[in-house]
Amino acid sequence: MKAVGGMRRLERVKTGIERFDEIIGGGFPKGATVLVTGGTGTGKTTFAIQFLVEGLKNGENGLLITCEEEPDRLYREMEQFGWDLKKFEEEGKLVVIDVASTKAGMPTSTKYREFQPRVANIDMDLVMLMGKAIREKNVRRVVVDSVPALALRVKGAEALRELLFRIYSILERFECTSVVITEIAGGGGALSRYGVEEFLSSGVIKLSMEKEEGKWVRKIQVVKMRGTKHDLNEHVFKITEKGIEVE
């Protein structure tokens, strides 16, 4: 926080989604770990990468932990928005930890091989490698995609809870501003599949798709954001050639 006129002002980190930043008072609180949750196909990964790219374009190095998609496939998907993640990686601004390829026993295509976990010990290696990458590359923004995919790569619910606690702890320790992606299971009012992510997070953003008058409409809602005044209303958004745009 910065002191302004004897008062402490919360520093903000812009997401790159202009109207959304207005809703939350100028951006995420600096150092916040924000959970982005929703059903399949609601735009969670797009939201997270847009947040990451906003930092990369403005001198903030990033760390992407991809547990679901191999990096090359993700890079190709994000090119439709004009986001060249491979270029950022080659320039040394982006570090990618490729959990997806490691667990599948496939060689990674990422630049920084020294930050890749071992097949037999992903859960123990991951947090250590996150800390190493954040420290050595001066990382300021982190994206973890995603908790359900990570759950498939550890042994049981208790191991997942312990791993999540360690991940959140290291993000807080290094004061990174971070987005963690999870998924809402069908039915019920839960905000996450495992019921622990929202309690560890300082903010929770819910993405959804609803059918209105025969058309599917995407909506975004800020469920929780510590240290920030915000409304609890749902806001309509679209995914355009530039990424997410909130109406």
Side-chain angles (χ1 to χ4, degrees):
M1 289 187 179
K2 290 183 177 179
V4 180
M7 299 180 65
R8 296 181 68 81
R9 179 170 61 85
L10 192 65
E11 292 183 66
R12 298 285 176 172
V13 174
K14 293 188 179 298
T15 66
I17 306 169
E18 187 174 349
R19 173 69 182 121
F20 179 78
D21 284 340
E22 293 175 5
I23 292 169
I24 58 173
F28 291 149
K30 187 176 181 180
T33 301
V34 179
L35 186 72
V36 175
T37 185
T40 302
T42 51
K44 301 183 297 295
T45 297
T46 303
F47 183 103
I49 299 299
Q50 191 161 347
F51 156 79
L52 192 63
V53 169
E54 177 68 11
L56 294 169
K57 292 190 300 185
N58 290 284
E60 295 181 76
N61 290 350
L63 170 62
L64 170 62
I65 297 98
T66 176
C67 310
E68 192 164 352
E69 291 190 86
E70 295 177 8
D72 282 346
R73 179 180 173 185
L74 181 62
Y75 295 166
R76 289 193 297 270
E77 291 174 356
M78 294 301 113
E79 284 174 359
Q80 66 181 301
F81 305 116
W83 303 334
D84 192 343
L85 298 180
K86 187 69 175 177
K87 180 174 179 286
F88 286 124
E89 187 183 24
E90 291 297 331
E91 292 173 345
K93 298 175 181 178
L94 173 65
V95 176
V96 179
I97 297 180
D98 181 8
V99 177
S101 296
T102 301
K103 188 63 176 178
M106 301 291 289
T108 183
S109 60
T110 59
K111 177 180 178 180
Y112 297 103
R113 305 299 171 88
E114 67 269 29
F115 297 125
Q116 305 312 311
R118 295 167 295 174
V119 176
N121 212 20
I122 289 176
D123 53 343
M124 294 297 292
D125 281 358
L126 181 57
V127 176
M128 179 189 71
L129 292 167
M130 286 176 63
K132 177 179 170 69
I134 292 168
R135 183 173 57 252
E136 293 184 7
K137 299 298 180 181
N138 191 30
V139 166
R140 303 316 313 146
R141 298 192 186 206
V142 178
V143 167
V144 180
D145 186 8
S146 64
V147 173
L150 190 60
L152 298 175
R153 289 156 173 81
V154 297
K155 297 176 181 178
E158 185 59 38
L160 176 64
R161 284 191 290 270
E162 176 63 25
L163 178 57
L164 288 175
F165 179 79
R166 292 170 63 209
I167 288 173
Y168 275 77
S169 294
I170 203 159
L171 294 175
E172 182 177 345
R173 174 184 172 187
F174 284 102
E175 298 183 338
C176 294
T177 309
S178 310
V179 167
V180 176
I181 298 174
T182 194
E183 191 172 85
I184 296 176
L191 288 170
S192 66
R193 180 174 291 275
Y194 302 99
V196 65
E197 304 98 305
E198 62 263 40
F199 298 107
L200 292 173
S201 303
S202 51
V204 178
I205 297 165
K206 180 183 177 183
L207 306 183
S208 62
M209 289 179 66
E210 300 175 11
K211 204 164 191 177
E212 296 182 354
E213 299 180 354
K215 295 181 179 180
W216 286 102
V217 178
R218 299 179 187 271
K219 294 184 178 181
I220 187 168
Q221 179 188 17
V222 181
V223 179
K224 177 175 80 171
M225 192 67 62
R226 290 178 192 156
T228 298
K229 282 187 175 182
H230 63 88
D231 67 60
L232 292 171
N233 295 319
E234 293 179 318
H235 296 264
V236 174
F237 75 93
K238 295 180 179 179
I239 298 180
T240 72
E241 69 277 3
K242 295 180 180 179
I244 288 177
E245 294 183 357
V246 177
E247 296 182 356

